[in-house]
Amino acid sequence: MAAAITRKKLSSFRIIILAFAGIILLGSILLSLPFSTRSGSPSSFADALFTAVSATCVTGLVVQDTATHWSFFGQSVILLMIQIGGLGVVMASASFALLSGRKISLKERSMMQEAFAAPRMEGIVRMATFILRVTFATELIGALIMMPTLCGEYGFNGIWMSLFVSISAFCNAGFDIMGRLGYLFPSLSAYATNPLICFTISALIVFGGIGFVTWNDISSNKGRFRRYSVQSKVIIMMTAILIILPALFFFFFEYHSLPPTERVLSSVFQSITTRTAGFNVEDMTKMSEPGQALTIILMLIGGSPGSTAGGIKTTTLAVLLANFIAVSFRKEEAHLFGRRLDDDVIKQAGAIFMMYVGLVLLGAVIICLIEGLPYLSCLFECASAIGTVGLSLGITPQLGIASRIILMMLMFLGRVGGLTVIYAATKDMRRSLSRLPHEH
């Protein structure tokens, strides 16, 4: 009886947070077991916890090389956490219910609506079924495309590598198992000149980061752009802009030593992976400071709502830009695609932006003071953590426990969402009938 009452008092936001925390704790315990490592010696709980947080929050920051440190069992645990974290614990729970034939309750439908950032609850179960089909089909197709290349180099193990990287890419996780002894943390640098691998991974990242609601909208309206919702139009527009413009910057101002073909591949790949995924084909430490600064901005922006990606989201950036344009041209209201933006939407966008920027700046300051590292490097790692990206300048394995805790907190907040944390921590407030005096 007491448990039932407690369950009723828990809001959907708190349930989501507790579910993520539960997955992380279970994953940490499994990764701490001796047979989770190749050496047979148990990993420290600190390393296991950091890896579990990074995998469940689909980030990709690691303190141990995934290929050389973890056994097949350990890698399987990591991959399962990536898949659950990418779909979201709510979607993972709903998928078990759908597969078992159990009826989904109204409470579960409400949580699914919030997790998917869906505009309404109607048709949410059908959307969940669509998401599962698209997710598993896309991951399988991506693995099959990469399989001939990887099997040609790694033999039978190439099948596992193809599946692992495909799921990691679609879930925007950034984990890879390409490392070898003496060649740790390589990511996809060995395939910088391979168009098949680069474009396949890029397509998987974009598909996962564009959002499930958008793909459902595209499928329902059979590709007719005019019939898409405003949210889908904004997401598609912002995604295209945030791929093209950074790619041009990377092409003209970075990678000057690369041949033309590799330069184009690296520029496009870097533009796509920077916002969400965390794979890299070039050494991030060799990038110029302006390039690293642009990367930090892109990591903070992240992907789209209801997707496998983190960050403040493309829609938040679009709302802030629309409001900036409205103020600059002295318009009464901000609008996008012929639709007026509600004041609450603008307030939420501003709150999310301030939260992410403030936490990144504060986290970087604290790590800089603790570790004595350059501030830009600390800022880079913190932006990568809260944006659930996973790109690194190589300082994460060197950090102490306190700094790792800061990164884990940023990763967790970045995955569950800033507003989810705010709403979970505060009580529902009834609208007050009284108002304070107005002031300009």
Side-chain angles (χ1 to χ4, degrees):
M1 184 67 178
I5 295 174
T6 304
R7 191 161 53 246
K8 287 182 179 180
K9 289 183 178 180
L10 287 177
S11 65
S12 57
F13 303 106
R14 293 175 181 174
I15 292 175
I16 291 173
I17 290 177
L18 290 175
F20 265 104
I23 296 296
I24 290 171
L25 179 59
L26 178 60
S28 302
I29 295 172
L30 292 175
L31 291 178
S32 299
L33 300 175
F35 47 82
S36 290
T37 64
R38 288 185 177 273
S39 64
S41 302
S43 297
S44 66
F45 186 77
D47 287 353
L49 178 61
F50 191 94
T51 304
V53 172
S54 184
T56 307
C57 298
V58 290
T59 304
L61 289 175
V62 293
V63 292
Q64 298 287 352
D65 183 73
T66 310
T68 58
H69 181 76
W70 303 107
S71 65
F72 177 76
F73 175 81
Q75 292 174 8
S76 301
V77 172
I78 291 172
L79 191 61
L80 181 60
M81 287 189 291
I82 289 172
Q83 186 72 86
I84 294 174
L87 289 174
V89 289
V90 175
M91 183 63 218
S93 175
S95 64
F96 286 116
L98 291 171
L99 292 174
S100 63
R102 181 175 63 84
K103 188 175 181 180
I104 298 178
S105 66
L106 186 62
K107 177 70 172 180
E108 291 173 321
R109 293 169 190 256
S110 176
M111 292 174 59
M112 290 165 64
Q113 180 189 2
E114 292 166 358
F116 301 157
R120 55 185 177 274
M121 194 185 301
E122 181 184 358
I124 199 70
V125 176
R126 182 192 63 79
M127 183 186 295
T129 305
F130 170 81
I131 290 171
L132 287 176
R133 290 203 308 266
V134 169
T135 297
F136 296 138
T138 305
E139 291 171 346
L140 179 60
I141 291 171
L144 291 175
I145 293 175
M146 293 185 288
M147 210 170 284
T149 301
L150 296 181
C151 286
E153 295 187 27
Y154 300 100
F156 185 74
N157 192 43
I159 298 175
W160 171 242
M161 296 176 72
S162 301
L163 185 63
F164 189 101
V165 175
S166 180
I167 294 175
S168 180
F170 181 82
C171 293
N172 284 220
F175 278 81
D176 69 273
I177 49 175
M178 305 297 183
R180 295 292 178 270
L181 292 175
Y183 187 43
L184 304 179
F185 312 109
S187 193
L188 301 178
S189 56
Y191 300 95
T193 58
N194 190 314
L196 181 66
I197 298 295
C198 285
F199 284 125
T200 301
I201 295 294
S202 297
L204 288 168
I205 293 170
V206 172
F207 288 167
I210 206 169
F212 299 124
V213 175
T214 303
W215 285 120
N216 185 64
D217 203 5
I218 292 173
S219 175
S220 300
N221 293 291
K222 304 185 184 301
R224 299 174 186 174
F225 187 80
R226 290 184 177 181
R227 300 179 62 179
Y228 295 168
S229 66
V230 173
Q231 176 172 301
S232 296
K233 291 178 181 178
V234 169
I235 287 172
I236 293 171
M237 177 190 69
M238 294 302 298
T239 299
I241 292 173
L242 291 170
I243 290 175
I244 295 171
L245 294 184
L248 291 174
F249 175 89
F250 291 131
F251 181 83
F252 287 109
F253 299 104
E254 304 287 343
Y255 311 136
H256 298 293
S257 61
L258 300 179
T261 302
E262 186 176 344
R263 192 173 175 183
V264 171
L265 282 176
S266 296
S267 299
V268 175
F269 187 88
Q270 195 66 33
S271 176
I272 292 173
T273 190
T274 295
R275 283 191 301 112
T276 55
F279 294 104
N280 64 281
V281 293
E282 303 295 339
D283 189 353
M284 299 299 299
T285 60
K286 296 180 180 179
M287 186 177 287
S288 66
E289 287 192 356
Q292 292 177 359
L294 176 61
T295 301
I296 290 172
I297 294 172
L298 293 173
M299 289 192 295
L300 282 174
I301 295 172
S304 301
S307 72
T308 61
I312 67 171
K313 303 295 188 292
T314 54
T315 49
T316 301
L317 177 63
V319 169
L320 293 174
L321 290 175
N323 189 51
F324 172 77
I325 292 172
V327 172
S328 300
F329 290 93
R330 298 188 176 184
K331 296 181 179 179
E332 291 186 2
E333 298 170 330
H335 57 82
L336 287 168
F337 289 99
R339 291 292 185 272
R340 174 177 56 84
L341 298 179
D342 191 75
D343 288 341
D344 287 340
V345 173
I346 298 174
K347 290 177 182 178
Q348 289 179 4
I352 292 172
F353 177 79
M354 289 301 298
M355 172 186 284
Y356 275 67
V357 172
L359 289 174
V360 166
L361 295 176
L362 179 61
V365 167
I366 297 174
I367 294 177
C368 182
L369 292 174
I370 294 174
E371 306 291 343
L373 295 169
Y375 183 72
L376 182 61
S377 298
C378 299
L379 190 66
F380 193 98
E381 303 295 306
C382 288
S384 179
I386 201 170
T388 67
V389 179
L391 290 176
S392 174
L393 295 181
I395 69 171
T396 299
Q398 309 167 15
L399 298 179
I401 296 297
S403 298
R404 290 187 187 183
I405 290 174
I406 293 172
L407 291 182
M408 285 190 288
M409 292 172 64
L410 291 175
M411 285 189 286
F412 188 82
L413 184 141
R415 183 63 191 111
V416 301
L419 287 180
T420 301
V421 174
I422 292 175
Y423 294 154
T426 58
K427 296 181 179 180
D428 294 334
M429 301 296 290
R430 294 182 179 179
R431 187 179 295 273
S432 177
L433 298 178
S434 62
R435 303 179 70 181
L436 294 173
H438 184 70
E439 183 62 69
H440 290 287

